[in-house]
Amino acid sequence: MRKSTPVLLLLLAFAPLTACSGKPDATAPQVATVASGTARPSSPSEAAAANDRPIVRSDMTDEEEDRLWATWKRCLDEHGVPEKDFKQRSDNPDEAAKAAFAACANLEPETPWQRSKRLDPAYGDKLRDWVTCIRAAGIDAWEDNGFLAFNSLPSQEQQVHVDECQRKVFGA
């Protein structure tokens, strides 16, 4: 059975842990957020390709998920994007890199909640339902600017509840 989950993997591998928006305050608690890291498509063809992105399901093995990410990374590499720049989609000023990210957009994996955030007008309601479900399991979570937030990352046991709530609200 898979020990890590899409939400946790996104936090650890592809989305930095961030503080709440605004100026840093040394007395304020640090907040972990689940950030999508995806940019809005800039053209209709890019939007169509991005709609067909592979889904990282919570029931996938690590090997299955690694294959999805490897396919996307291989595409970026073939388009000349150095691995150190894989995470710099929206803030990369290089036009060639922007073109590479656009060309590979349909291969970049996403979770069900990320797809919903991009495409579903009811995402805000679903996010609130996700938070309500998580809190019902006794886990302190909230919505922060359109993302799920925690004071600290859930334990593995708690993450099971987060994943169950994600499947309940957003599907597999």
Side-chain angles (χ1 to χ4, degrees):
M1 176 117 193
R2 183 181 173 89
K3 293 182 180 177
S4 57
T5 61
V7 173
L8 184 56
L9 286 174
L10 285 167
L11 283 168
L12 298 176
F14 296 98
L17 296 178
T18 59
C20 292
S21 58
K23 292 187 177 185
D25 179 357
T27 62
Q30 296 297 300
V31 177
T33 63
V34 179
S36 70
T38 57
R40 298 260 181 223
S42 60
S43 69
S45 62
E46 187 179 333
N51 289 342
D52 296 330
R53 291 169 52 188
I55 293 285
V56 177
R57 298 180 331 268
S58 58
D59 63 347
M60 283 183 143
T61 65
D62 289 336
E63 293 78 22
E64 290 171 323
E65 185 176 344
D66 289 346
R67 278 194 298 271
L68 293 180
W69 286 108
T71 300
W72 177 67
K73 289 176 180 180
R74 187 172 37 256
C75 180
L76 291 175
D77 183 57
E78 290 170 357
H79 284 83
V81 177
E83 187 169 351
K84 66 178 181 61
D85 292 342
F86 286 179
K87 296 178 189 174
Q88 297 179 351
R89 267 177 295 291
S90 59
D91 60 349
N92 195 323
D94 181 22
E95 290 301 318
K98 287 179 183 178
F101 281 109
C104 299
N106 66 320
L107 298 174
E108 183 180 9
E110 67 183 340
T111 62
W113 72 264
Q114 287 175 310
R115 180 166 291 174
S116 179
K117 184 168 182 20
R118 278 191 313 109
L119 302 173
D120 188 352
Y123 171 76
D125 294 331
K126 289 180 178 180
L127 176 60
R128 283 184 286 286
D129 291 344
W130 192 17
V131 168
T132 300
C133 180
I134 292 168
R135 296 189 107 189
I139 303 166
D140 188 22
W142 62 93
E143 182 270 335
D144 183 29
N145 288 328
F147 297 100
L148 176 64
F150 304 93
N151 266 333
S152 60
L153 293 176
S155 68
Q156 254 187 310
E157 181 182 308
Q158 291 173 324
Q159 190 63 45
V160 169
H161 294 293
V162 173
D163 291 342
E164 288 172 359
C165 290
Q166 175 185 282
R167 280 189 296 278
K168 179 180 174 184
V169 174
F170 297 105

